[in-house]
Amino acid sequence: MSSTAVAARPAPSWWRLTRWALVVLLLGVVVVELVAGRRDVLRALRAVSDPVWWALGLAAVVDLASMLAYAVMQRRLLLGAGVPRRSARRWPTTALAFEAHSLSISLPGGPVFSTAHNFARMTALGAPRPTATWVIAVSGVLSSAALALLGAAAGVWTGARGDLGHLLAAAAVFVVVVVAARLLGAHRGWASTVHDVTTAGLARLSGRRPRTGAALHRVHEGVHGLAAVRVRPVTWVWAGAGALANWMLDAAALWLCCTAAGLDDLRPEHVLLAYTAAMAAASFPLVPAGLGVVDAALTVGLVTAGATPGEALAADVLYRAVSLGLVGGSGWVLWGLHRRRRPA
């Protein structure tokens, strides 16, 4: 009785007062910021309500093309890994790239849902499970390496000599990924050795004999399935070009949104540097689409490049409208159409 009464007792009044005080404080900060920066906010609203329409329309086309480049990368990896062309057809793989992207940027914990959706759809299209796993993993690594390479190149372009080391390091990561994948495919005995050592270690920990149990059998099949993936050099060229084109076209869309917001005198290398910094911030998925985090990084980067806060805010709003509204919305439409066509 007494414990139930204690559990049901409402929170202390001081805690409720503290929460309300924090809410009021945050609202006060927002109001003060809006009042202090009202000129910049008004400029941003004017730029957003009356943009340079040809630049905004071209930004939409270019940003859609950036997702097509990502789809090309994934499709080339599927084909290079041995998936037949009838399974990795152009339209289904393109739609999958859009759908997975929208899931990743729109939902809390989006990358988890995106990976699961990618895996389910690739295996449904006919890709073996180890191959689908390999393609998803390599796509992520290539995309991250391409962004790092682009950011380092932007730093070198703007005259930051110290970024030459980052550029070489990013290029080295890309080369290591390619070489490691090719060596694993060329020397399947290495995979067997890794499997045998792993199996023996798991057996000692679990107290079972080696090579027994369904879980160990799945590990055996998975390792040998990954070792069976053999990719020709031309596939790596296509995939690497697709990963770079994905980021470069998206950065070009941002630059066009800057033009649409009236920022005609920003140098492209400075916009590229601001873009790569914002996308690096997006790699930590604290909130869906990096809302707030990415916008702050992007706005600060554009202001550093020479824009006023109002102009930078307007460019950010237009870019997010294109990247989230158009590209992200397209992925959700395709996801809905797929769900509707799928038999019950």
Side-chain angles (χ1 to χ4, degrees):
M1 286 289 291
S2 59
S3 61
T4 305
V6 171
R9 217 186 315 177
S13 58
W14 65 267
W15 174 237
R16 292 200 299 271
L17 288 174
T18 303
R19 285 187 297 179
W20 277 109
L22 288 173
V23 171
V24 171
L25 178 62
L26 289 174
L27 289 175
V29 170
V30 172
V31 170
V32 169
E33 289 292 333
L34 288 175
V35 172
R38 60 187 181 279
R39 293 182 180 178
D40 293 324
V41 173
L42 290 174
R43 287 176 186 170
L45 289 175
R46 282 196 295 269
V48 170
S49 61
D50 187 25
V52 179
W53 289 105
W54 69 263
L56 187 60
L58 188 56
V61 173
V62 170
D63 217 23
L64 288 171
S66 74
M67 280 307 303
L68 293 177
Y70 189 87
V72 166
M73 176 188 68
Q74 279 204 331
R75 181 170 183 266
R76 285 288 173 170
L77 288 174
L78 282 169
L79 293 173
V83 177
R85 285 186 176 272
R86 65 178 179 275
S87 297
R89 289 172 297 174
R90 186 170 283 106
W91 168 246
T93 53
T94 301
L96 174 57
F98 274 84
E99 294 166 19
H101 174 71
S102 296
L103 289 171
S104 179
I105 66 173
S106 303
L107 300 175
V112 176
F113 294 101
S114 174
T115 300
H117 182 70
N118 246 334
F119 183 80
R121 286 288 304 279
M122 284 183 185
T123 53
L125 289 174
R129 294 168 67 91
T131 300
T133 302
W134 181 86
V135 170
I136 293 169
V138 171
S139 296
V141 172
L142 283 180
S143 185
S144 298
L147 179 61
L149 192 64
L150 201 60
V156 173
W157 192 4
T158 55
R161 295 180 179 273
D163 277 336
L164 182 59
H166 294 96
L167 178 62
L168 296 175
V173 169
F174 184 86
V175 172
V176 166
V177 171
V178 174
V179 171
R182 285 185 59 79
L183 286 175
L184 184 60
H187 300 82
R188 301 188 187 189
W190 295 1
S192 297
T193 302
V194 170
H195 165 260
D196 293 340
V197 171
T198 304
T199 301
L202 289 174
R204 290 193 188 97
L205 290 174
S206 61
R208 297 178 180 178
R209 291 181 302 168
R211 298 185 185 277
T212 60
L216 294 180
H217 180 67
R218 285 195 295 269
V219 171
H220 181 275
E221 288 186 339
V223 169
H224 282 274
L226 289 174
V229 175
R230 298 185 124 184
V231 181
R232 295 183 300 169
V234 66
T235 298
W236 291 111
V237 172
W238 273 102
L244 278 172
N246 169 240
W247 292 116
M248 291 177 68
L249 288 170
D250 196 31
L254 171 62
W255 182 68
L256 287 166
C257 287
C258 291
T259 302
L263 290 167
D264 300 321
D265 54 348
L266 288 185
R267 296 178 64 87
E269 62 268 29
H270 293 143
V271 175
L272 181 61
L273 194 60
Y275 170 81
T276 53
M279 293 304 106
S283 63
F284 300 96
L286 301 176
V287 292
L291 290 174
V293 179
V294 173
D295 301 288
L298 199 55
T299 302
V300 170
L302 293 177
V303 169
T304 304
T308 65
E311 292 170 335
L313 181 60
D316 173 66
V317 170
L318 292 176
Y319 168 72
R320 299 290 256 176
V322 170
S323 62
L324 296 181
L326 178 63
V327 178
S330 299
W332 278 111
V333 170
L334 292 170
W335 180 85
L337 292 174
H338 168 72
R339 296 278 296 184
R340 188 170 183 175
R341 287 195 303 265
R342 191 174 64 179

mmCIF file of all heavy atoms in Angstrom, residues 260-311:
data_model
loop_
_atom_site.group_PDB
_atom_site.id
_atom_site.type_symbol
_atom_site.label_atom_id
_atom_site.label_comp_id
_atom_site.label_asym_id
_atom_site.label_seq_id
_atom_site.Cartn_x
_atom_site.Cartn_y
_atom_site.Cartn_z
ATOM 1 N N ALA A 260 19.529 31.279 -56.745
ATOM 2 C CA ALA A 260 18.090 31.565 -56.667
ATOM 3 C C ALA A 260 17.773 32.521 -55.534
ATOM 4 O O ALA A 260 16.794 33.273 -55.600
ATOM 5 C CB ALA A 260 17.317 30.267 -56.482
ATOM 6 N N ALA A 261 18.599 32.517 -54.475
ATOM 7 C CA ALA A 261 18.388 33.422 -53.346
ATOM 8 C C ALA A 261 19.063 34.769 -53.541
ATOM 9 O O ALA A 261 19.024 35.611 -52.636
ATOM 10 C CB ALA A 261 18.907 32.774 -52.064
ATOM 11 N N GLY A 262 19.663 34.982 -54.701
ATOM 12 C CA GLY A 262 20.300 36.269 -54.988
ATOM 13 C C GLY A 262 21.778 36.325 -54.694
ATOM 14 O O GLY A 262 22.391 37.400 -54.781
ATOM 15 N N LEU A 263 22.378 35.181 -54.353
ATOM 16 C CA LEU A 263 23.813 35.140 -54.068
ATOM 17 C C LEU A 263 24.566 34.799 -55.340
ATOM 18 O O LEU A 263 24.884 33.635 -55.607
ATOM 19 C CB LEU A 263 24.095 34.103 -52.981
ATOM 20 C CG LEU A 263 23.603 34.462 -51.575
ATOM 21 C CD1 LEU A 263 23.649 33.242 -50.675
ATOM 22 C CD2 LEU A 263 24.425 35.581 -50.990
ATOM 23 N N ASP A 264 24.857 35.821 -56.144
ATOM 24 C CA ASP A 264 25.504 35.584 -57.437
ATOM 25 C C ASP A 264 27.022 35.632 -57.365
ATOM 26 O O ASP A 264 27.701 35.198 -58.298
ATOM 27 C CB ASP A 264 25.031 36.632 -58.462
ATOM 28 C CG ASP A 264 23.531 36.579 -58.682
ATOM 29 O OD1 ASP A 264 22.991 35.458 -58.722
ATOM 30 O OD2 ASP A 264 22.907 37.650 -58.792
ATOM 31 N N ASP A 265 27.572 36.174 -56.271
ATOM 32 C CA ASP A 265 29.017 36.416 -56.233
ATOM 33 C C ASP A 265 29.774 35.448 -55.335
ATOM 34 O O ASP A 265 30.942 35.663 -55.046
ATOM 35 C CB ASP A 265 29.288 37.847 -55.770
ATOM 36 C CG ASP A 265 28.602 38.169 -54.446
ATOM 37 O OD1 ASP A 265 27.755 37.359 -54.023
ATOM 38 O OD2 ASP A 265 28.908 39.230 -53.858
ATOM 39 N N LEU A 266 29.115 34.395 -54.881
ATOM 40 C CA LEU A 266 29.823 33.406 -54.065
ATOM 41 C C LEU A 266 30.701 32.528 -54.948
ATOM 42 O O LEU A 266 30.265 32.049 -56.002
ATOM 43 C CB LEU A 266 28.838 32.526 -53.296
ATOM 44 C CG LEU A 266 28.086 33.151 -52.118
ATOM 45 C CD1 LEU A 266 27.264 32.085 -51.418
ATOM 46 C CD2 LEU A 266 29.034 33.814 -51.149
ATOM 47 N N ARG A 267 31.916 32.301 -54.535
ATOM 48 C CA ARG A 267 32.818 31.445 -55.299
ATOM 49 C C ARG A 267 32.416 29.977 -55.104
ATOM 50 O O ARG A 267 32.082 29.562 -53.993
ATOM 51 C CB ARG A 267 34.263 31.664 -54.855
ATOM 52 C CG ARG A 267 34.770 33.071 -55.140
ATOM 53 C CD ARG A 267 36.182 33.245 -54.625
ATOM 54 N NE ARG A 267 37.099 32.370 -55.318
ATOM 55 C CZ ARG A 267 37.710 32.664 -56.469
ATOM 56 N NH1 ARG A 267 37.461 33.824 -57.057
ATOM 57 N NH2 ARG A 267 38.553 31.828 -57.025
ATOM 58 N N PRO A 268 32.422 29.187 -56.177
ATOM 59 C CA PRO A 268 31.950 27.794 -56.072
ATOM 60 C C PRO A 268 32.754 26.954 -55.091
ATOM 61 O O PRO A 268 32.204 26.073 -54.431
ATOM 62 C CB PRO A 268 32.080 27.268 -57.509
ATOM 63 C CG PRO A 268 32.986 28.221 -58.205
ATOM 64 C CD PRO A 268 32.798 29.542 -57.543
ATOM 65 N N GLU A 269 34.058 27.215 -54.950
ATOM 66 C CA GLU A 269 34.847 26.406 -54.024
ATOM 67 C C GLU A 269 34.439 26.659 -52.573
ATOM 68 O O GLU A 269 34.480 25.749 -51.738
ATOM 69 C CB GLU A 269 36.349 26.664 -54.208
ATOM 70 C CG GLU A 269 36.806 28.084 -53.923
ATOM 71 C CD GLU A 269 36.799 28.966 -55.170
ATOM 72 O OE1 GLU A 269 35.985 28.698 -56.068
ATOM 73 O OE2 GLU A 269 37.607 29.909 -55.218
ATOM 74 N N HIS A 270 34.023 27.894 -52.268
ATOM 75 C CA HIS A 270 33.572 28.193 -50.905
ATOM 76 C C HIS A 270 32.217 27.539 -50.627
ATOM 77 O O HIS A 270 31.973 27.056 -49.511
ATOM 78 C CB HIS A 270 33.490 29.707 -50.705
ATOM 79 C CG HIS A 270 34.827 30.376 -50.727
ATOM 80 N ND1 HIS A 270 35.035 31.619 -51.295
ATOM 81 C CD2 HIS A 270 36.048 29.965 -50.283
ATOM 82 C CE1 HIS A 270 36.308 31.953 -51.179
ATOM 83 N NE2 HIS A 270 36.944 30.956 -50.575
ATOM 84 N N VAL A 271 31.351 27.540 -51.633
ATOM 85 C CA VAL A 271 30.066 26.859 -51.473
ATOM 86 C C VAL A 271 30.292 25.357 -51.292
ATOM 87 O O VAL A 271 29.644 24.713 -50.459
ATOM 88 C CB VAL A 271 29.156 27.126 -52.687
ATOM 89 C CG1 VAL A 271 27.856 26.324 -52.577
ATOM 90 C CG2 VAL A 271 28.836 28.616 -52.793
ATOM 91 N N LEU A 272 31.227 24.798 -52.052
ATOM 92 C CA LEU A 272 31.529 23.368 -51.939
ATOM 93 C C LEU A 272 32.074 23.036 -50.555
ATOM 94 O O LEU A 272 31.722 22.002 -49.965
ATOM 95 C CB LEU A 272 32.539 22.969 -53.012
ATOM 96 C CG LEU A 272 32.944 21.495 -53.053
ATOM 97 C CD1 LEU A 272 31.732 20.610 -53.315
ATOM 98 C CD2 LEU A 272 34.008 21.266 -54.129
ATOM 99 N N LEU A 273 32.911 23.905 -50.010
ATOM 100 C CA LEU A 273 33.462 23.669 -48.676
ATOM 101 C C LEU A 273 32.356 23.725 -47.617
ATOM 102 O O LEU A 273 32.314 22.880 -46.710
ATOM 103 C CB LEU A 273 34.543 24.706 -48.372
ATOM 104 C CG LEU A 273 35.457 24.427 -47.176
ATOM 105 C CD1 LEU A 273 36.209 23.112 -47.367
ATOM 106 C CD2 LEU A 273 36.437 25.576 -46.980
ATOM 107 N N ALA A 274 31.446 24.700 -47.744
ATOM 108 C CA ALA A 274 30.317 24.783 -46.807
ATOM 109 C C ALA A 274 29.423 23.559 -46.931
ATOM 110 O O ALA A 274 28.932 23.020 -45.927
ATOM 111 C CB ALA A 274 29.516 26.058 -47.078
ATOM 112 N N TYR A 275 29.233 23.097 -48.160
ATOM 113 C CA TYR A 275 28.381 21.922 -48.398
ATOM 114 C C TYR A 275 28.970 20.672 -47.756
ATOM 115 O O TYR A 275 28.269 19.933 -47.065
ATOM 116 C CB TYR A 275 28.210 21.714 -49.900
ATOM 117 C CG TYR A 275 27.566 20.403 -50.251
ATOM 118 C CD1 TYR A 275 26.183 20.247 -50.192
ATOM 119 C CD2 TYR A 275 28.339 19.310 -50.629
ATOM 120 C CE1 TYR A 275 25.590 19.042 -50.487
ATOM 121 C CE2 TYR A 275 27.754 18.098 -50.933
ATOM 122 C CZ TYR A 275 26.380 17.967 -50.865
ATOM 123 O OH TYR A 275 25.802 16.764 -51.160
ATOM 124 N N THR A 276 30.256 20.419 -47.974
ATOM 125 C CA THR A 276 30.855 19.197 -47.427
ATOM 126 C C THR A 276 30.867 19.230 -45.894
ATOM 127 O O THR A 276 30.699 18.186 -45.250
ATOM 128 C CB THR A 276 32.288 19.011 -47.960
ATOM 129 O OG1 THR A 276 33.043 20.209 -47.725
ATOM 130 C CG2 THR A 276 32.278 18.715 -49.449
ATOM 131 N N ALA A 277 31.049 20.416 -45.310
ATOM 132 C CA ALA A 277 30.999 20.510 -43.846
ATOM 133 C C ALA A 277 29.599 20.182 -43.337
ATOM 134 O O ALA A 277 29.432 19.476 -42.338
ATOM 135 C CB ALA A 277 31.408 21.913 -43.408
ATOM 136 N N ALA A 278 28.571 20.687 -44.036
ATOM 137 C CA ALA A 278 27.187 20.414 -43.621
ATOM 138 C C ALA A 278 26.849 18.940 -43.788
ATOM 139 O O ALA A 278 26.176 18.346 -42.938
ATOM 140 C CB ALA A 278 26.224 21.282 -44.428
ATOM 141 N N MET A 279 27.290 18.330 -44.870
ATOM 142 C CA MET A 279 26.996 16.913 -45.082
ATOM 143 C C MET A 279 27.756 16.027 -44.091
ATOM 144 O O MET A 279 27.281 14.963 -43.706
ATOM 145 C CB MET A 279 27.348 16.507 -46.523
ATOM 146 C CG MET A 279 26.477 17.156 -47.576
ATOM 147 S SD MET A 279 24.696 16.850 -47.335
ATOM 148 C CE MET A 279 24.162 18.468 -46.715
ATOM 149 N N ALA A 280 28.942 16.470 -43.686
ATOM 150 C CA ALA A 280 29.658 15.735 -42.641
ATOM 151 C C ALA A 280 28.879 15.796 -41.330
ATOM 152 O O ALA A 280 28.809 14.807 -40.587
ATOM 153 C CB ALA A 280 31.058 16.317 -42.453
ATOM 154 N N ALA A 281 28.263 16.956 -41.044
ATOM 155 C CA ALA A 281 27.424 17.064 -39.849
ATOM 156 C C ALA A 281 26.208 16.148 -39.957
ATOM 157 O O ALA A 281 25.729 15.606 -38.960
ATOM 158 C CB ALA A 281 26.980 18.517 -39.651
ATOM 159 N N ALA A 282 25.709 15.945 -41.182
ATOM 160 C CA ALA A 282 24.540 15.078 -41.386
ATOM 161 C C ALA A 282 24.866 13.616 -41.158
ATOM 162 O O ALA A 282 23.944 12.796 -41.003
ATOM 163 C CB ALA A 282 23.985 15.270 -42.796
ATOM 164 N N SER A 283 26.146 13.262 -41.140
ATOM 165 C CA SER A 283 26.512 11.855 -40.932
ATOM 166 C C SER A 283 26.267 11.400 -39.501
ATOM 167 O O SER A 283 26.341 10.207 -39.210
ATOM 168 C CB SER A 283 27.984 11.634 -41.299
ATOM 169 O OG SER A 283 28.828 12.390 -40.448
ATOM 170 N N PHE A 284 25.966 12.332 -38.601
ATOM 171 C CA PHE A 284 25.601 11.990 -37.225
ATOM 172 C C PHE A 284 24.094 12.185 -37.085
ATOM 173 O O PHE A 284 23.631 13.295 -36.831
ATOM 174 C CB PHE A 284 26.347 12.870 -36.218
ATOM 175 C CG PHE A 284 27.835 12.744 -36.316
ATOM 176 C CD1 PHE A 284 28.578 13.650 -37.069
ATOM 177 C CD2 PHE A 284 28.502 11.713 -35.681
ATOM 178 C CE1 PHE A 284 29.951 13.527 -37.172
ATOM 179 C CE2 PHE A 284 29.876 11.586 -35.778
ATOM 180 C CZ PHE A 284 30.609 12.494 -36.527
ATOM 181 N N PRO A 285 23.313 11.107 -37.301
ATOM 182 C CA PRO A 285 21.849 11.251 -37.394
ATOM 183 C C PRO A 285 21.176 11.448 -36.037
ATOM 184 O O PRO A 285 20.492 10.571 -35.523
ATOM 185 C CB PRO A 285 21.424 9.927 -38.037
ATOM 186 C CG PRO A 285 22.463 8.952 -37.591
ATOM 187 C CD PRO A 285 23.750 9.724 -37.475
ATOM 188 N N LEU A 286 21.406 12.634 -35.438
ATOM 189 C CA LEU A 286 20.772 12.918 -34.155
ATOM 190 C C LEU A 286 19.276 13.137 -34.314
ATOM 191 O O LEU A 286 18.481 12.730 -33.482
ATOM 192 C CB LEU A 286 21.432 14.153 -33.519
ATOM 193 C CG LEU A 286 22.942 14.045 -33.270
ATOM 194 C CD1 LEU A 286 23.478 15.366 -32.738
ATOM 195 C CD2 LEU A 286 23.243 12.918 -32.294
ATOM 196 N N VAL A 287 18.898 13.827 -35.389
ATOM 197 C CA VAL A 287 17.488 14.092 -35.690
ATOM 198 C C VAL A 287 17.266 13.777 -37.161
ATOM 199 O O VAL A 287 18.207 13.770 -37.954
ATOM 200 C CB VAL A 287 17.105 15.558 -35.391
ATOM 201 C CG1 VAL A 287 17.133 15.834 -33.909
ATOM 202 C CG2 VAL A 287 18.019 16.525 -36.130
ATOM 203 N N PRO A 288 16.016 13.499 -37.572
ATOM 204 C CA PRO A 288 15.759 13.212 -38.991
ATOM 205 C C PRO A 288 16.224 14.349 -39.886
ATOM 206 O O PRO A 288 15.985 15.527 -39.617
ATOM 207 C CB PRO A 288 14.232 13.063 -39.032
ATOM 208 C CG PRO A 288 13.850 12.646 -37.657
ATOM 209 C CD PRO A 288 14.816 13.348 -36.739
ATOM 210 N N ALA A 289 16.904 13.975 -40.983
ATOM 211 C CA ALA A 289 17.401 14.911 -41.996
ATOM 212 C C ALA A 289 18.405 15.904 -41.431
ATOM 213 O O ALA A 289 18.733 16.889 -42.087
ATOM 214 C CB ALA A 289 16.239 15.656 -42.649
ATOM 215 N N GLY A 290 18.889 15.662 -40.212
ATOM 216 C CA GLY A 290 19.833 16.596 -39.617
ATOM 217 C C GLY A 290 19.261 17.978 -39.410
ATOM 218 O O GLY A 290 19.993 18.980 -39.455
ATOM 219 N N LEU A 291 17.939 18.066 -39.199
ATOM 220 C CA LEU A 291 17.288 19.369 -39.058
ATOM 221 C C LEU A 291 17.920 20.152 -37.911
ATOM 222 O O LEU A 291 18.075 19.650 -36.804
ATOM 223 C CB LEU A 291 15.791 19.184 -38.810
ATOM 224 C CG LEU A 291 14.975 18.666 -40.002
ATOM 225 C CD1 LEU A 291 13.536 18.395 -39.594
ATOM 226 C CD2 LEU A 291 15.030 19.652 -41.152
ATOM 227 N N GLY A 292 18.271 21.373 -38.191
ATOM 228 C CA GLY A 292 18.913 22.229 -37.201
ATOM 229 C C GLY A 292 20.415 22.100 -37.255
ATOM 230 O O GLY A 292 21.123 23.109 -37.391
ATOM 231 N N VAL A 293 20.928 20.875 -37.190
ATOM 232 C CA VAL A 293 22.375 20.659 -37.206
ATOM 233 C C VAL A 293 22.950 21.008 -38.567
ATOM 234 O O VAL A 293 23.886 21.806 -38.695
ATOM 235 C CB VAL A 293 22.705 19.203 -36.836
ATOM 236 C CG1 VAL A 293 24.210 18.968 -36.879
ATOM 237 C CG2 VAL A 293 22.154 18.859 -35.464
ATOM 238 N N VAL A 294 22.382 20.404 -39.621
ATOM 239 C CA VAL A 294 22.857 20.665 -40.981
ATOM 240 C C VAL A 294 22.599 22.111 -41.368
ATOM 241 O O VAL A 294 23.443 22.771 -41.985
ATOM 242 C CB VAL A 294 22.177 19.699 -41.973
ATOM 243 C CG1 VAL A 294 22.526 20.069 -43.410
ATOM 244 C CG2 VAL A 294 22.603 18.278 -41.685
ATOM 245 N N ASP A 295 21.432 22.633 -41.004
ATOM 246 C CA ASP A 295 21.083 24.000 -41.379
ATOM 247 C C ASP A 295 22.030 25.008 -40.735
ATOM 248 O O ASP A 295 22.434 25.988 -41.367
ATOM 249 C CB ASP A 295 19.636 24.286 -40.969
ATOM 250 C CG ASP A 295 18.666 23.320 -41.619
ATOM 251 O OD1 ASP A 295 18.434 23.428 -42.828
ATOM 252 O OD2 ASP A 295 18.152 22.432 -40.913
ATOM 253 N N ALA A 296 22.376 24.754 -39.477
ATOM 254 C CA ALA A 296 23.317 25.654 -38.802
ATOM 255 C C ALA A 296 24.685 25.607 -39.475
ATOM 256 O O ALA A 296 25.303 26.652 -39.741
ATOM 257 C CB ALA A 296 23.433 25.280 -37.330
ATOM 258 N N ALA A 297 25.168 24.395 -39.774
ATOM 259 C CA ALA A 297 26.475 24.260 -40.423
ATOM 260 C C ALA A 297 26.477 24.894 -41.804
ATOM 261 O O ALA A 297 27.435 25.574 -42.195
ATOM 262 C CB ALA A 297 26.852 22.784 -40.525
ATOM 263 N N LEU A 298 25.388 24.706 -42.540
ATOM 264 C CA LEU A 298 25.296 25.251 -43.887
ATOM 265 C C LEU A 298 25.221 26.772 -43.853
ATOM 266 O O LEU A 298 25.897 27.458 -44.639
ATOM 267 C CB LEU A 298 24.058 24.683 -44.589
ATOM 268 C CG LEU A 298 24.017 24.771 -46.108
ATOM 269 C CD1 LEU A 298 25.236 24.132 -46.734
ATOM 270 C CD2 LEU A 298 22.748 24.079 -46.612
ATOM 271 N N THR A 299 24.422 27.315 -42.942
ATOM 272 C CA THR A 299 24.276 28.769 -42.850
ATOM 273 C C THR A 299 25.594 29.420 -42.440
ATOM 274 O O THR A 299 26.017 30.428 -43.028
ATOM 275 C CB THR A 299 23.169 29.130 -41.837
ATOM 276 O OG1 THR A 299 21.947 28.510 -42.251
ATOM 277 C CG2 THR A 299 22.968 30.625 -41.771
ATOM 278 N N VAL A 300 26.254 28.837 -41.439
ATOM 279 C CA VAL A 300 27.535 29.388 -40.997
ATOM 280 C C VAL A 300 28.565 29.319 -42.127
ATOM 281 O O VAL A 300 29.334 30.263 -42.352
ATOM 282 C CB VAL A 300 28.040 28.642 -39.746
ATOM 283 C CG1 VAL A 300 29.476 29.021 -39.422
ATOM 284 C CG2 VAL A 300 27.142 28.945 -38.557
ATOM 285 N N GLY A 301 28.578 28.201 -42.859
ATOM 286 C CA GLY A 301 29.525 28.061 -43.959
ATOM 287 C C GLY A 301 29.298 29.082 -45.054
ATOM 288 O O GLY A 301 30.252 29.650 -45.604
ATOM 289 N N LEU A 302 28.037 29.348 -45.379
ATOM 290 C CA LEU A 302 27.733 30.339 -46.423
ATOM 291 C C LEU A 302 28.049 31.754 -45.950
ATOM 292 O O LEU A 302 28.499 32.592 -46.744
ATOM 293 C CB LEU A 302 26.265 30.226 -46.835
ATOM 294 C CG LEU A 302 25.880 28.933 -47.562
ATOM 295 C CD1 LEU A 302 24.383 28.899 -47.859
ATOM 296 C CD2 LEU A 302 26.669 28.785 -48.866
ATOM 297 N N VAL A 303 27.798 32.028 -44.671
ATOM 298 C CA VAL A 303 28.155 33.349 -44.138
ATOM 299 C C VAL A 303 29.671 33.542 -44.193
ATOM 300 O O VAL A 303 30.171 34.613 -44.558
ATOM 301 C CB VAL A 303 27.631 33.508 -42.697
ATOM 302 C CG1 VAL A 303 28.217 34.760 -42.040
ATOM 303 C CG2 VAL A 303 26.106 33.600 -42.700
ATOM 304 N N THR A 304 30.405 32.480 -43.858
ATOM 305 C CA THR A 304 31.867 32.544 -43.944
ATOM 306 C C THR A 304 32.319 32.774 -45.383
ATOM 307 O O THR A 304 33.330 33.437 -45.631
ATOM 308 C CB THR A 304 32.485 31.247 -43.398
ATOM 309 O OG1 THR A 304 32.020 31.032 -42.060
ATOM 310 C CG2 THR A 304 33.996 31.313 -43.391
ATOM 311 N N ALA A 305 31.552 32.245 -46.337
ATOM 312 C CA ALA A 305 31.898 32.408 -47.751
ATOM 313 C C ALA A 305 31.585 33.796 -48.274
ATOM 314 O O ALA A 305 31.999 34.138 -49.392
ATOM 315 C CB ALA A 305 31.149 31.375 -48.583
ATOM 316 N N GLY A 306 30.861 34.602 -47.489
ATOM 317 C CA GLY A 306 30.598 35.980 -47.911
ATOM 318 C C GLY A 306 29.147 36.375 -47.964
ATOM 319 O O GLY A 306 28.838 37.520 -48.304
ATOM 320 N N ALA A 307 28.222 35.477 -47.630
ATOM 321 C CA ALA A 307 26.803 35.811 -47.648
ATOM 322 C C ALA A 307 26.410 36.498 -46.347
ATOM 323 O O ALA A 307 27.060 36.329 -45.314
ATOM 324 C CB ALA A 307 25.963 34.552 -47.846
ATOM 325 N N THR A 308 25.338 37.285 -46.403
ATOM 326 C CA THR A 308 24.766 37.815 -45.167
ATOM 327 C C THR A 308 23.948 36.704 -44.506
ATOM 328 O O THR A 308 23.546 35.740 -45.179
ATOM 329 C CB THR A 308 23.861 39.016 -45.455
ATOM 330 O OG1 THR A 308 22.729 38.573 -46.220
ATOM 331 C CG2 THR A 308 24.610 40.096 -46.226
ATOM 332 N N PRO A 309 23.678 36.809 -43.198
ATOM 333 C CA PRO A 309 22.871 35.765 -42.547
ATOM 334 C C PRO A 309 21.516 35.562 -43.211
ATOM 335 O O PRO A 309 21.054 34.414 -43.336
ATOM 336 C CB PRO A 309 22.731 36.286 -41.111
ATOM 337 C CG PRO A 309 23.947 37.106 -40.892
ATOM 338 C CD PRO A 309 24.226 37.762 -42.216
ATOM 339 N N GLY A 310 20.869 36.643 -43.645
ATOM 340 C CA GLY A 310 19.572 36.513 -44.309
ATOM 341 C C GLY A 310 19.673 35.776 -45.622
ATOM 342 O O GLY A 310 18.845 34.911 -45.936
ATOM 343 N N GLU A 311 20.695 36.099 -46.412
ATOM 344 C CA GLU A 311 20.890 35.421 -47.697
ATOM 345 C C GLU A 311 21.227 33.948 -47.488
ATOM 346 O O GLU A 311 20.732 33.081 -48.217
ATOM 347 C CB GLU A 311 21.999 36.124 -48.475
ATOM 348 C CG GLU A 311 21.637 37.522 -48.936
ATOM 349 C CD GLU A 311 22.841 38.272 -49.479
ATOM 350 O OE1 GLU A 311 23.986 37.944 -49.086
ATOM 351 O OE2 GLU A 311 22.639 39.207 -50.281
#
